[in-house]
């Protein structure tokens, strides 16, 4: 390895500063070139040991005055015999201008290095055994500069100029993205951070909230396709947007919620009571009610003659006006005893099983009940307005699912059971205004469950116990005998509501299975409902024929199948499936032309005319009608049409009708100037 050292200092000359720097630069370049050539010549010459005098004199040589004055200049030491891109060398910079450093590297590596406008700064670095590219990377990185290679040239730019040049080289492109599941507005919010400063985007397909149609808002001239996002930017940004949308524009998960609502009510009533009536000097037949002899006596409501010494004692602790399951009465002489017993239990159970599917993070609602209407009055200083409001009652389930990556589901739930009664309220003006009163049991909660796990929401339990005691003062406290002067009514009202919620994450395969099960269930319901019809019902007769036709087709008996199909259609003609089966069995011709409406025929004829005109303008051959009209030009001699025309005009009798064909359902139609005549007889003169 040969070493070439360059040491350039300030020369002691009376030149100015600028001329001195120029002169020093020229001297340094000359010395570097001379030393480089000498090193190359020395590498080419055979190696010989240095003379002892020269070896001894070299380390003892004193530095020149110029070298001692400029110790901060770059030093380059080549580590190989040839200067090339892959060569390594050692270079030292000490407060060296970057322009000078680039020039020295260019001379050393024999590469064309061009510094752009604005490239400035000083370099201080000691680089050992580096290549040209490594030296450039270190120097330019320290000064925040960028390089660009173009053939044999290496251009050095500032970061701002380099970014501007890269933008000038790039061409912006536009691309539209069809959004399948992501809303256009959300997609635009996600894409904006990825665009460059000059990038642009636009989107369409924003859907308004709600879908309740009305006469005033039945639709408008809006975007009727899927959401669309258009991006105009550089290819790198467009590629980033494409990757992002491919990751986030995915089908959302769905959740099906099966809810079981059980509402039970137990109302139990128990009653016991004994009423005793005792009279004196009168007969019980003289009283309207033996159980209220004293009342009749007080009112004078007796059939006999009232006497001054008449007397009656009656106890009313049994409560005869209340319900009872057993009443017994005994009237003996002047004493009447009546017994009332009650043991009644009312058990009410309400069961509802709504099932609804909803998208992830979307609200869903199920209502099984009634909508109670009432009038709402709004009064101002000038007018009074009444509107009809509705109160939803019954079993209601409102939920919103949030699906997590681990398969769990967070549920916002609001199940409720409610009922309403209308209460009439008298207004100050004398009118009656109905006001609804709602009795409700509801739960609002936010829980997390696993996929397929059943959530039990209970706790809505109420129990109301009512105990009523009646007795004759003093006599009712006598042991044993006091029961004959007592009456009691007990009631227990117990209510309990339980909500069972089971969410399931829906997959496409499961949804297909559920769809098939639902179709089978519908078919089973239809069959079951028809089995309850009378034997001579048209619906039942046609159903039996249809079933026999299908069985005959399965066994290969086409004649029997056609017989049952014809029999079924005679009873009930409007059966599209049987009509199709009859066509497949060959039982009837294709009658579709007669089933079309007049409007459909007109439209098809206009379309055929338009196609014929288009083919005529394009010079394409058109199909010839089946028969020529009567007023058409005569066909060429020898052609089939001429023979047919001759036979129709001369070969037939004078009274024979002339058959004129008018192709209606063919692809091509006659020319516009062709007359269409109906089939009419020609009278012979």
């Amino acid at each position: 390895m040969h070493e070439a050292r360059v040491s350039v200092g300030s020369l002691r000359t009376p030149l100015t500063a600028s001329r001195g720097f120029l002169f020093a630069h020229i001297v340094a370049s000359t010395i570097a070139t001379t030393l480089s050539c000498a090193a190359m010549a020395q590498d080419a010459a055979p190696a010989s040991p240095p003379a002892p005098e020269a070896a001894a004199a070299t380390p003892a040589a004193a530095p020149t005055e110029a070298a001692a004055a400029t110790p901060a200049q770059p030093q380059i030491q080549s580590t190989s015999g040839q200067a090339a891109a892959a060569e390594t060398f050692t270079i030292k910079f000490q407060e060296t201008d970057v322009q000078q450093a680039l020039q020295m590297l260019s001379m050393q590596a024999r590469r064309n290095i061009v510094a752009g406008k604005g490239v400035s700064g000083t370099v201080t670095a000691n680089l050992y055994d580096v290549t040209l590219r490594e030296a450039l990377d270190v120097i330019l990185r320290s000064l925040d500069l960028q390089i660009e290679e173009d053939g044999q040239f290496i251009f050095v730019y500032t970061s701002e100029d380099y970014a501007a040049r890269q933008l000038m080289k790039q061409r912006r492109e536009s691309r539209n993205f069809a959004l399948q599941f992501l809303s256009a507005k959300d997609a635009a919010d996600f894409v904006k951070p990825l665009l460059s400063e000059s990038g642009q985007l636009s989107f369409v397909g924003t859907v308004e909230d709600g879908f309740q149609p009305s006469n005033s808002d039945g639709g408008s001239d809006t975007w009727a396709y899927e959401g669309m996002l258009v991006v105009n930017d550089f290819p790198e940004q467009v590629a980033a947007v494409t990757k992002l949308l491919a990751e986030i524009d995915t089908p959302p998960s769905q959740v099906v919620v099966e809810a079981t609502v059980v509402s039970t009510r137990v109302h139990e009533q128990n009653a016991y009571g004994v009423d005793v009536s005792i009279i004196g000097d009168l007969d019980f037949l003289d009283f309207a009610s033996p159980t209220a002899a004293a009342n009749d006596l007080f009112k004078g409501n007796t059939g006999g003659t009232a006497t001054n010494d008449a007397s009656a004692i009656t106890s009313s602790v049994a409560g005869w006006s209340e319900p009872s399951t057993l009443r017994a009465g005994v009237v003996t002489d002047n004493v009447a005893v009546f017994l009332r017993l009650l043991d009644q239990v009312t058990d009410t159970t309400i069961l509802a099983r709504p099932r609804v599917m909803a998208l992830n993070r979307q609200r869903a609602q199920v209502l099984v009940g009634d909508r109670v209407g009432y009038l709402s009055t709004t009064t101002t200083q000038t007018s009074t307005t009444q509107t009809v409001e509705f109160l939803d009652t019954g079993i209601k389930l409102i939920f919103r699912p949030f699906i997590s990556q681990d398969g769990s589901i967070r549920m916002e739930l609001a199940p409720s059971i409610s009922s309403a009664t209308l209460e009439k309220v008298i207004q100050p003006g004398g009118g009656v205004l109905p006001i609804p009163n709602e009795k409700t049991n509801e739960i609002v909660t936010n829980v997390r469950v696993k996929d397929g796990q059943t959530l039990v929401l209970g706790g809505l339990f109420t129990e109301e116990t009512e105990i009523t005691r009646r007795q004759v003062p003093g006599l009712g406290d006598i042991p044993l005998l006091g029961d004959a002067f007592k009456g009691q009514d007990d009631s227990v009202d117990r209510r309990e509501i339980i909500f069972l919620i089971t969410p399931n994450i829906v997959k496409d395969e499961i949804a297909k299975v559920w769809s098939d099960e639902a179709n089978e269930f519908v078919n089973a319901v239809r069959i079951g409902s028809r089995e309850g019809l009378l034997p001579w019902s048209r619906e039942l007769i046609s159903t039996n024929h249809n079933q026999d036709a299908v069985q005959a087709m399965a066994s290969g008996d086409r004649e029997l199948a056609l017989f049952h199909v014809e029999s079924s259609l005679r009873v009930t003609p409007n059966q599209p499936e049987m009509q199709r089966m009859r066509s497949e069995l060959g039982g009837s011709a294709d009658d579709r032309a007669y089933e079309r409406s007049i409007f459909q025929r007109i439209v098809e004829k206009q379309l055929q005319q338009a196609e014929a005109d288009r083919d005529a303008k394009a010079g394409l051959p058109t199909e010839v009608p089946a028969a020529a009209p009567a007023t058409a030009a005569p066909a060429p001699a020898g052609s089939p049409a001429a023979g047919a025309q001759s036979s129709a005009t001369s070969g037939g009798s004078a009274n024979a009708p002339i058959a004129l064909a008018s192709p209606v359902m063919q692809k091509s139609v006659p020319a516009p100037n062709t007359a269409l005549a109906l089939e009419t007889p020609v009278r012979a003169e």
Side-chain angles (χ1 to χ4, degrees):
M1 179 178 66
H2 301 279
E3 180 178 357
R5 296 183 179 274
V6 179
S7 179
V8 181
S10 59
L11 302 178
R12 297 180 179 178
T13 58
L15 300 177
T16 60
S18 59
R19 292 182 178 179
F21 179 81
L22 179 60
F23 181 76
H25 179 68
I26 295 173
V27 171
S29 301
T30 304
I31 295 174
T33 304
T34 304
L35 293 178
S36 178
C37 295
M40 293 175 60
Q42 187 176 3
D43 291 338
S48 60
E53 295 81 359
T58 300
T64 62
E65 186 178 357
T70 58
Q73 295 303 319
Q75 298 180 2
I76 302 177
Q77 180 179 356
S78 177
T79 58
S80 63
Q82 299 293 333
E87 285 187 354
T88 60
F89 52 86
T90 299
I91 184 170
K92 299 179 181 180
F93 298 106
Q94 183 68 29
E95 297 294 334
T96 305
D97 185 74
V98 66
Q99 296 278 358
Q100 184 180 357
L102 294 176
Q103 184 178 6
M104 299 303 298
L105 292 176
S106 174
M107 295 172 61
Q108 175 64 23
R110 296 194 300 275
R111 293 291 302 274
N112 301 316
I113 301 177
V114 181
K117 183 179 179 181
V119 176
S120 61
T122 58
V123 181
T124 300
N126 295 328
L127 306 178
Y128 298 94
D129 197 16
V130 295
T131 62
L132 174 63
R133 187 55 185 261
E134 293 174 348
L136 287 175
D137 290 341
V138 172
I139 294 173
L140 300 182
R141 187 184 302 175
S142 63
L143 298 177
D144 193 18
L145 301 175
Q146 301 290 337
I147 63 173
E148 180 180 354
E149 296 189 20
D150 187 3
Q152 297 295 328
F153 295 90
I154 299 177
F155 298 92
V156 181
Y157 302 103
T158 60
S159 297
E160 294 78 8
D161 294 342
Y162 181 80
R165 287 181 58 85
Q166 295 300 320
L167 290 178
M168 291 176 61
K169 290 182 179 181
Q170 294 182 356
R171 293 183 179 180
R172 296 197 303 180
E173 62 181 24
S174 297
R175 183 174 178 183
N176 59 318
F177 299 91
L179 304 175
Q180 302 296 328
F181 309 101
L182 191 64
S183 66
K185 183 179 181 304
D186 294 341
D189 295 338
F190 286 124
V191 169
K192 283 181 180 178
L194 301 180
L195 300 181
S196 62
E197 296 181 356
S198 58
Q200 297 178 354
L201 66 86
S202 59
F203 62 90
V204 291
T206 302
V207 181
E208 298 180 358
D209 296 336
F211 52 93
Q212 183 67 31
S214 63
N215 293 332
S216 60
D217 185 13
S220 59
D221 188 12
T222 57
W223 184 258
Y225 300 95
E226 65 272 6
M228 186 70 66
L229 181 69
V230 180
V231 177
N232 181 268
D233 209 336
F234 299 109
E236 296 181 358
Q237 282 71 24
V238 174
V241 171
T242 303
K243 182 179 179 181
L244 175 63
L245 292 180
E247 295 177 355
I248 63 178
D249 190 20
T250 56
S253 301
Q254 296 186 102
V255 174
V256 60
V257 174
E258 297 180 1
T260 302
V261 182
V262 181
S263 175
T264 61
R265 178 185 178 185
V266 178
H267 183 68
E268 182 179 359
Q269 289 180 313
N270 299 314
Y272 164 79
V274 178
D275 284 342
V276 179
S277 294
I278 301 175
I279 62 174
D281 299 331
L282 285 177
D283 191 354
F284 273 107
L285 298 177
D286 296 333
F287 295 96
S289 176
T291 60
N295 294 336
D296 292 341
L297 185 62
F298 295 153
K299 297 178 181 179
N301 187 16
T302 59
T305 303
T307 58
N308 294 330
D309 57 355
S311 61
I313 299 175
T314 302
S315 64
S316 57
V317 296
W320 291 102
S321 60
E322 301 296 331
S324 62
T325 56
L326 175 63
R327 293 188 180 187
V330 178
V331 178
T332 303
D333 295 335
N334 295 335
V335 179
V337 179
F338 299 93
L339 176 66
R340 169 180 170 263
L341 297 175
L342 173 65
D343 187 2
Q344 179 178 346
V345 178
T346 302
D347 193 350
T348 305
T349 301
I350 300 176
L351 176 64
R353 297 194 64 183
R355 181 178 181 180
V356 63
M357 183 182 299
L359 287 175
N360 184 27
R361 298 174 177 266
Q362 299 298 319
R363 180 179 181 271
Q365 176 178 338
V366 178
L367 174 63
V368 182
D370 301 326
R371 303 192 68 190
V372 180
Y374 61 94
L375 289 177
S376 177
T377 304
T378 303
T379 304
T380 61
Q381 296 180 354
T382 58
S383 63
T384 300
T385 304
Q386 286 186 338
T387 57
V388 179
E389 303 289 342
F390 293 93
L391 180 63
D392 296 336
T393 61
I395 298 175
K396 182 188 298 184
L397 174 62
I398 303 175
F399 70 92
R400 182 167 59 171
F402 296 84
I403 303 176
S404 302
Q405 294 293 336
D406 58 351
S408 61
I409 306 172
R410 183 172 68 86
M411 299 283 294
E412 294 179 355
L413 294 170
S416 63
I417 295 180
S418 60
S419 60
T421 57
L422 294 178
E423 180 181 356
K424 296 182 179 180
V425 178
I426 299 177
Q427 295 180 335
V432 178
L433 180 65
I435 297 177
N437 293 328
E438 182 182 11
K439 186 176 182 180
T440 180
N441 297 275
E442 62 183 14
I443 295 176
V444 178
T445 183
N446 196 338
V447 296
R448 185 179 67 87
V449 295
K450 289 290 185 181
D451 181 19
Q453 182 179 356
T454 300
L455 175 66
V456 180
L457 299 178
L460 299 179
F461 177 84
T462 59
E463 182 174 348
E464 181 179 354
T465 303
E466 183 178 355
I467 300 175
T468 303
R469 295 289 185 268
R470 297 179 298 273
Q471 68 176 12
V472 177
L475 297 179
D477 296 332
I478 300 175
L480 298 179
L481 295 178
D483 293 338
F485 303 96
K486 288 182 180 181
Q488 65 184 41
D489 285 272
D490 301 336
S491 65
V492 178
D493 192 359
R494 184 185 301 109
R495 297 181 181 182
E496 185 174 4
I497 300 175
I498 299 175
F499 297 95
L500 304 177
I501 310 296
T502 305
N504 291 277
I505 300 176
V506 180
K507 299 179 177 59
D508 295 339
E509 297 80 5
I510 299 178
K512 179 62 171 59
V513 172
W514 287 346
S515 177
D516 296 340
E517 292 178 354
N519 293 330
E520 293 178 359
F521 176 77
V522 171
N523 293 332
V525 171
R526 293 176 59 189
I527 294 174
S529 61
R530 290 177 180 179
E531 289 180 353
L533 298 175
L534 294 175
W536 58 84
S537 171
R538 298 171 61 92
E539 187 70 21
L540 184 58
I541 293 175
S542 61
T543 300
N544 293 334
H545 280 299
N546 295 343
Q547 185 176 1
D548 294 339
V550 172
Q551 293 178 356
M553 282 285 293
S555 61
D557 193 348
R558 299 177 62 88
E559 294 183 359
L560 182 60
L562 181 60
F563 167 75
H564 287 294
V565 169
E566 295 286 355
S567 301
S568 176
L569 290 176
R570 279 195 298 269
V571 178
T572 308
N574 188 15
Q575 299 184 77
E577 292 295 333
M578 292 296 104
Q579 293 281 359
R580 188 179 299 109
M581 183 179 291
R582 183 174 64 177
S583 299
E584 294 176 356
L585 294 173
S588 63
D590 189 3
D591 299 332
R592 288 176 294 177
Y594 298 97
E595 296 176 359
R596 292 192 178 96
S597 64
I598 298 176
F599 177 77
Q600 185 175 358
R601 295 181 185 179
I602 295 175
V603 171
E604 290 182 355
K605 193 169 183 178
Q606 293 295 330
L607 291 176
Q608 294 170 2
Q609 182 67 38
E611 291 181 0
D613 295 342
R614 183 188 60 189
D615 294 343
K617 291 180 180 180
L620 299 176
T622 57
E623 298 180 3
V624 181
T631 57
S639 63
Q645 184 177 3
S646 176
S647 62
T649 55
S650 61
S653 62
N655 294 328
I658 300 176
L660 301 178
S662 174
V664 178
M665 302 308 297
Q666 295 181 0
K667 181 177 181 181
S668 61
V669 299
N673 57 356
T674 302
L676 298 178
L678 298 177
E679 181 178 341
T680 55
V682 179
R683 179 178 298 177
E685 295 180 357

